[in-house]
Structures are given as C-alpha cells and as structure tokens.
C-alpha cells in the first residue's frame, strides 16, 4: 500500500526516440569513447496504471561499434533526470554479451525522500560515494543499489550479483547493442530522462585479463572486532604484482592497498556495523593488465548477552519506510543448552513504528526452515513508541490492536498471504502458528529475527534489540517390557513402559504405545512408579515392533523404548481324504480337507488343492465344520500326489495334508445280469452281478421302466414287499431284469429273465364254532395269499360241513360269510379249502363244530277273542297267529340254501 506522500507528478514532455545512436566520429582503442542515445525516457511509461511499471522505451538501446580491444572501464551517464521520488527508480545496464549491472536502485535511507530535477548523473566506480537521498544534484556517483534483489519485467534478464561497473563489464567485447532497462517500482509519482543516456567506454588492445579473489579472516565476526579482507590478483594463474586493490563495504571505501610480490593486498577494519556486508575488492588494472574484482559476504553480529537462560542481541534494528530492516537479519548465537528446547519466548525491546500493522516479524531457529511469524498485519495504524512486546504460547490473548506493551501469543492476521513475504536470504515462511514449533530441537546455534516493513510511507525501529528465553527439559529414558513373549494369537499381552530421569522415576506425562507406527490406543499416564501399562489381545501373527513413546513435559524430554513382540499363530492340522480311490479316468473324484486346531474345527481361511505342485482350481473356503472340498474329473491315468494346504490367517498357522490318488486307465466294462431268476409269491430275490467288471457301480432295473434305481450293488436282495413295490406282485409271470454297470465314463448293460411262480393260498375261518340244531349257523371263510393281486381278486371256496350234507362251492372275496343248519346235535369235522384266481388250491382246513340241541319253546298264552264289529264273522277258534310268519321264514331260509347249493356265482369284490 502506498503511504508516502507523492510529489507533484511531472509529465514526460520529450518525444521517445528508442534505439537512437550517437556514435563518435572515429573509434578509439584505449578510449575513453562516448556513445549516446539522446531520446527521452518516460519513467514510467506515460499512462501507466497507478504510475508504476517499466519506462518507455523499455529498453532504451545504444549500439557500440568500431572499438578495438577489451573493455577496461565503463561509465554510464543519465542526462536530464527528473523524478519526484528517485527512491522508486531501478535502472539496469545490459552489455551486448549479456553481462549486466544495476546502477541505481533503492537509494539512500528508505525513510528519506530522494528526488532529482534535470540532473546529470554519472556512474563511475572511482566516485567518492553513491547516490544520496534528498535533493540529488548533478554529479559523479558509484553504482548504488540500496535494496534487495530487484525484479525487472521481461525482456530484461535477471540482475547479476555484481556491484561495480568493472566487475560487470571489464574484459568483454564492447561492440554491439547495449540496453538500459528502467522500472518505477512504486505508485504515485512519475519522471523522465529528458536527454537520454550515454556510455563512456575505455578499451585496451593488449591487456591481459585478471582475476581477483577476496577472502575474509572469519565470518561471522563481532561488532567492534577487527576483520581482515584479502584480495589475491592473478592473470593466467600467475600473480599480478603491480596496481592496487580498492576495498569497499556496502559500496563505501574501506581502503586502497597496493598488491605485493605475491599479488596479494589486504585491509583490516573493525568499523563494520551489525548486518551482512558485501565486501568488494576491485583491482585497478595496470599496464598490460585489465581491471577485475572479487567479493565476499561478511556477516557481523553483535555479541550475544547471556543472562541465565535468556539470550539477547541488544543492538537496534532500523525499520525502513518499505523493505527489510537493518540489520537483516539480526542474530542471536545460543550455546550451552544441554537438553532440547521445551519452550521458547521472544521479546522485542523498544518497538516504535508510525504504522505497526506494516511490521512483519519472523523468528527462525538454527535450522532456518523451522520458523514462525511472531506478528504480521496486526497492531493497527496508531503510532507506537518504546514498547516491550513479549511472544509466549501461554499468553492469554493475541497481539492487540492498537499495539501495546505486554505478553501475547504469536499472531498473524494476514488475509493476503503474499504480504508476509520476506526477501532473501530469509527462509520461506513456514505454516507454524506457535512457538512450540521449536520444541524438541536442539537450541544451540544461530537464531535470526527477520523484520520487514511491507508497505511504503512510514518507518520505525526496535531500539533495544531482542531476546530469547529458553526452557529445557531433563533427559529421560524409557524401557519397554512384555509379560509374555512370544505370545499366541488372541492371547492377552501386557506391555509395561518405565520412564526414568537420572535413575529416578518420572511421575508426570503420558506414554503412547504403538505397533510399527500405528497407535495401540489412547496415551496412558505414568503412575507414581514411573510406569504405564497397556494390554491387548488383538495382535496378529508375526513380529510386531512395539514402541513406547514418553510424550515429555516442560520439565522432561521425550524418550522411547522398543521391543519386538513375537506373536505365533495357532497350530493347525489338515486331513485329506478322497471319496473314491482308485478312480477311473474321467471319473469325478471329490477331495475333502478337514482343518482343526486343538481338536476344534477351524472355520476361517482357505484350502488350496494341488496335484504334484500344480494348483487344482481356486482356493476353497473352509465351512463351519472346518472342511473344504474340491471335485475334479480331469485326472489322468497314474498316481497323483494330491496336497491340501491350509493358508495361514492372522490367527492360524498353515498346515498341509497329502494322499496318493490312483487313477486307473480306461477299461472295457462288462455287465453280467446273471440269472435266469425265479421267485415264488411271498419269497425274496437275490440278484447276481458278480460276472460283471469289478470295482464299478452296479444299478438294476427290475420293472423295465428304464429307471436303474430299483436296486444297487453287485448282489442285492429284494424282499417280496420290495418286489411288490416295483409291480412284481403276481405269478405265474415272466419278467426281464436289466443290470447297468458304470466305471468312469464307461458303461454296459445286460438282461436276465425272472420267473414269478404262483403260491397257493391258505384258508382261514373266523367266528364261533358252536351251532344250535335247527338254527342257521354262520361263520366267515377266508383266504391268505402272499400275492396282493390274488388277494384283490375272488377265491373259490369248498365247504364240507361234516354232517353228510353235500359239499358246497362258494365263490367270493377273501372273507365271505357262509351259513349251514345242523339237524342233529353232535360234533362235526368241517373242512374248508380256497383256490386263488390262478388255480392254486391250498391245503384243507378242518375245524370242529359242536351242534347243541335246541331249547324247547313254551306254549303261547291264549289271546282273548275280540268282538268283531257288527256284520263281521268271528276268527276261528284255536288258530295260531304266528303260523304264516314262520312259514315265510322257512321259505326264505330254504330259498337261500337252494340258491347257494344250486349255482356258483361270483360275488362282487368287497371293499
């Protein structure tokens, strides 16, 4: 932000004649020769936004030609220079071969305005001083660059590190296009170079190039202490013994000394102020030798004042209107700390500034990349003077606005990050926000304070310098032990960390337990014995690098203990079986692996099946019973070493099992159904396939339905009940039995006859075997036949009642009732037979029937004769009213008997 009051703008009124050349009438060797471009230059270009930026023309050019020899001296002349803020003007001269020098930049005290009005400035290494601040008059000045590295927009090259015209241009070929790049680097003011500019070049044809090397007796040095700078001048490796070396510090002379017989010139000074000083030694040149220069950077620090654990640099820092403070940086050298830093506070003494918000203050440690912004863009715009500002992470609040004396936390209120940029050689600002960024590091070494004013128009100082106060911790030792090592997967393991300092237990702070960098839980406080414990049963199989890290406190340093915890997986056992061994080529074989641990099934993990090292498919997960199966029909003939390998898991170790699977080559399969077979109704049937190929699968079809599941095996036996279930339930009949034999992919069938013979039925009777003479006697006669088909049909029964009456023939179902009336008392041998539908007649069944005499019936009581109605005759006297009914009953019985005796007929099947 531009805060400097700008002087009245001066309009550029001269036309710009870029590239104009005014050359001498005749080129001269050993010069000096003047070359001029008199075209005016507007600074910055007319109409530039905010009156800032490159001049016009940019660049302005001068063409040098006709000069013989190499450059021995160069002067640069600005004609008619007018600018209301000459501090803003940066000018760089570039030779045809690319060498360059910034001849004007950031002149004078940044807090003092510089201006020029139609002045002619001649830049010459031999001048007494650089361009001053204030009203700059016409005169001769040394090249003057009072700021950090400047930035010139393209097509300008990057500025060189040279500080003198001799250093930049001596020894080069002068012929070609020289360029002048001018930039106005701040807003609010304008100017011009009305008469353009000139080059005054001196050359020498026969001069030898020289090299000047400058060294220091020691850097850094202390303020007020002598330091010696030595220049060694040589040409083609040999010392140059004539001429002088002029030494400058920050462009100001510190002595001119003649080179000795060794080509060496030295100067000693104790007048260098605190800061970093560019020391330049410029060899003057002599007959036959071209001038040259060399440089060295000399760092000068104030002596560090130590009071206990507080280290101070009491030298003042001067803050310019814009840019780095002087010195930049200010250093404190810390030594004597015996332990890492656990806390640091920083103090600025005598802070004064017209606009405190412009102050950017960075602290860097012995490792510069470790740094912190103490304050940036904070403190307001009200002027302050003589403040003491302490920065402490434990402070209650941030740096206030307006700025006051006090203790505050480091504060960066910069919403535009670019404002917190520190020019070289400052390190890049880190992302740290607290002074704790320095904790844990060694404090010994050089600490630097970098102060920058990031806006123009105001200035300040830190008049009393600055201090650092350190807190360091006592070193600790952490040892780590395990209550069981090695342990098993799932076993609880307790780790114990013991923290000591100087042999005594450390009773404050926490310990973090980790496994290979992965935390094992929350930090554990140490107890009164200095121990912290952590128990876990979650460690997987393998070696675990366990670390216990004591976090440290302000009084104690951090420390670690380590051990390797070995966790062994649970042992497993794998058993492998085959469902068929040997098997035939092409036959499906199922391998089953059963994995156990301690007798219990292992229910996680996979099993890999392989044949002589060749994997048989993908890994198979074990199931809830610890088994994994794999089926294949691709095994070739021969013996196959099959392996089942259980793959290790975090909890279980690997194990393997093996078997030799024998696979026989293809054979001709023969089926021999045996037979012929016969079976009687009710009997069992044994089949005989023993004439078939052994070791095969045997399947039978007994009912010719094409289903070969009726029986299996070489010699199966089927009961009559099983045969009836297959429809073989009646004889006599002839059936066909088929045998199918399968071995691997081979198969054959054969048939045999099965004769089913009829079995005669047995006869049974049911009912009481006691009859009454003259009363019809009824019992049931039945048949018992093993054939369900016969039992479902009707039988023919013959009955001999044993009393001499005719034999009866009765057709009927399995249990028809039959009736007979015995006429005389006695015991009679009754005989019964049954014949099935196929003509099979069983043996007679004889039973004893006892016929008892009938019990006499008492005479009926006479019934009074009713009186008939008038006109009707009376019934006959003595008539039996039951007579007609009895006669009807006899007729019914007689008719039934005649029917039974007179004909055979089939009765319908009783369900």
């Amino acid at each position: 932000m531009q805060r400097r009051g700008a002087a009245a703008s001066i309009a550029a009124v001269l036309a710009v004649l870029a590239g104009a050349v005014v050359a001498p009438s005749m080129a001269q060797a050993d010069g000096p020769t003047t070359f001029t471009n008199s075209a005016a230059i507007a600074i910055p270009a007319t109409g530039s936004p905010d009156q800032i930026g490159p001049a016009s023309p940019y660049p302005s050019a001068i063409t040098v030609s006709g000069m013989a020899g190499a450059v021995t001296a160069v002067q640069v002349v600005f004609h008619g220079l007018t600018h209301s803020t000459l501090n803003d003007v940066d000018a760089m001269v570039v030779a045809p071969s690319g060498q360059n020098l910034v001849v004007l930049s950031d002149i004078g005290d940044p807090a003092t305005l510089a201006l020029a009005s139609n002045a002619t400035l001649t830049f010459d290494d031999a001048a007494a001083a650089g361009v001053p601040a204030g009203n700059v008059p016409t005169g001769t000045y040394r090249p003057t660059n009072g700021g950090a590295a400047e930035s010139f927009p393209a097509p300008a090259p990057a500025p060189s590190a040279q500080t003198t015209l001799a250093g930049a241009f001596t020894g080069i070929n002068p012929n070609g296009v020289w360029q002048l790049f001018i930039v106005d680097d701040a807003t609010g003011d304008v100017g011009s170079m009305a008469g353009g500019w000139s080059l005054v070049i001196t050359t020498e044809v026969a001069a030898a190039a020289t090299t000047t090397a400058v060294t220091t007796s020691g850097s850094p040095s202390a303020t007020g202490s002598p330091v010696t700078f030595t220049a060694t001048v040589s040409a083609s490796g040999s010392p140059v013994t004539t001429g002088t070396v002029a030494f400058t510090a920050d462009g100001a002379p510190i002595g001119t000394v003649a080179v000795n017989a060794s080509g060496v010139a030295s100067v000693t000074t104790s007048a260098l102020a605190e800061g970093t000083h560019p020391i330049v030694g410029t060899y003057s040149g002599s007959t036959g030798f071209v001038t040259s220069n060399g440089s060295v950077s000399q760092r000068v620090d104030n002596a560090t004042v130590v009071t206990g654990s507080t280290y101070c640099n009491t030298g003042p820092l001067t803050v310019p209107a814009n840019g780095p403070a002087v010195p930049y940086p200010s250093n404190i050298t810390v030594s004597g700390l015996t332990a890492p830093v656990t806390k640091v506070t920083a103090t600025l003494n005598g802070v004064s500034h017209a606009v405190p918000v412009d102050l950017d203050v960075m602290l860097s440690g012995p490792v510069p990349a470790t740094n912190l912004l103490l304050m940036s863009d904070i403190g307001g715009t009200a002027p302050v003077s003589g403040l003491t500002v302490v920065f402490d992470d434990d402070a209650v609040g941030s740096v206030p606005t307006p700025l006051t004396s006090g203790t505050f936390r480091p504060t960066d209120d910069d919403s535009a990050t670019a404002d917190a940029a520190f020019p070289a050689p400052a390190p890049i600002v880190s992302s740290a926000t607290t002074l704790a960024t320095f904790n844990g590091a060694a404090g010994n070494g050089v600490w630097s304070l970098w102060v920058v004013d990031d806006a123009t128009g105001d200035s300040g100082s830190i008049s009393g310098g600055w201090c650092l106060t350190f807190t360091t911790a006592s070193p600790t030792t952490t040892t780590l032990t395990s209550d069981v090592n090695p342990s098993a997967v799932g076993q609880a393991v307790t780790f114990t960390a013991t923290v000591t300092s100087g042999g005594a237990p450390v009773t404050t702070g926490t310990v973090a337990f980790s496994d290979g960098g992965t935390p094992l839980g929350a930090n554990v406080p140490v107890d009164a014995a200095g121990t912290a414990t952590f128990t876990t049963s979650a460690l997987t199989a393998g070696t675990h690098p366990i670390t216990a890290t004591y976090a440290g406190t302000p009084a104690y340093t951090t420390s670690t203990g380590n051990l390797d915890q070995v966790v062994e997986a649970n042992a497993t056992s794998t058993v492998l079986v085959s469902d068929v061994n040997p098997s035939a080529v092409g036959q499906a074989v199922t391998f089953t692996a059963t994995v156990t641990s301690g007798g219990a099934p292992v229910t996680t993990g996979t099993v890999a099946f392989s044949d002589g090292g060749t994997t048989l498919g993908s890994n198979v997960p074990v199931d809830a019973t610890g088994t994994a199966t794999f089926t294949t029909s691709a095994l070739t003939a021969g013996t196959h070493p099959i392996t089942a390998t259980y793959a290790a898991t975090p909890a279980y170790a690997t194990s393997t099992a093996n078997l030799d699977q024998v696979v026989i080559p293809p054979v001709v399969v023969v089926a021999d159904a045996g037979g012929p077979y016969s079976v009687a109704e009710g009997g069992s049937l044994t089949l005989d396939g023993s004439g078939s190929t052994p070791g095969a699968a045997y399947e039978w079809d007994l009912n010719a339905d094409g289903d070969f599941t009726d029986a299996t095996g070489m010699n199966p036996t089927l009961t009559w009940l099983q045969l009836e279930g297959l429809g073989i339930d009646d004889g006599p009949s002839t059936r066909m039995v088929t045998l199918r034999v399968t071995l691997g992919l081979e198969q054959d069938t054969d048939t045999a006859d099965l004769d089913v013979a009829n079995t005669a039925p047995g006869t049974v009777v049911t009912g009481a075997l006691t009859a009454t003479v003259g009363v019809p006697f009824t019992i049931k006669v039945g048949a018992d036949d093993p054939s369900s088909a016969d039992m479902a049909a009707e039988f023919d029964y013959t009955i001999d009642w044993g009393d001499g009456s005719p034999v009866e023939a009765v057709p009927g179902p399995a249990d028809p009732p039959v009736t007979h009336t015995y006429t005389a008392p006695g015991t009679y041998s009754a005989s019964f037979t049954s014949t099935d539908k196929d003509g099979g007649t069983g043996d007679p069944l004889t039973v004893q029937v006892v016929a008892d005499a009938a019990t006499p019936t008492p005479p009926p009581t006479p019934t009074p004769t009713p009186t008939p109605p008038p006109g009707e005759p009376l019934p006959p006297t003595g008539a039996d009213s039951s007579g007609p009914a009895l006669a009807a009953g006899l007729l019914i019985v007689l008719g039934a008997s005649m029917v039974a005796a007179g004909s055979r007929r089939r009765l319908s099947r009783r369900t």
Side-chain angles (χ1 to χ4, degrees), residues 21 33 49 76 98 160 203 227 231 244 311 342 415 424 445 448 513 566 616 702 728 831 883 888 895:
V21 177
T33 305
V76 177
S160 72
T203 63
V227 59
T244 60
Y311 297 75
T342 57
S415 59
S448 299
F513 294 88
V566 177
L616 294 175
L702 280 76
I728 303 173
S831 177

Side-chain angles (χ1 to χ4, degrees), residues 96-107:
S97 50
Q99 290 86 350
N100 65 74
L101 176 70
V102 175
V103 294
L104 181 67
S105 176
D106 299 307
I107 62 172

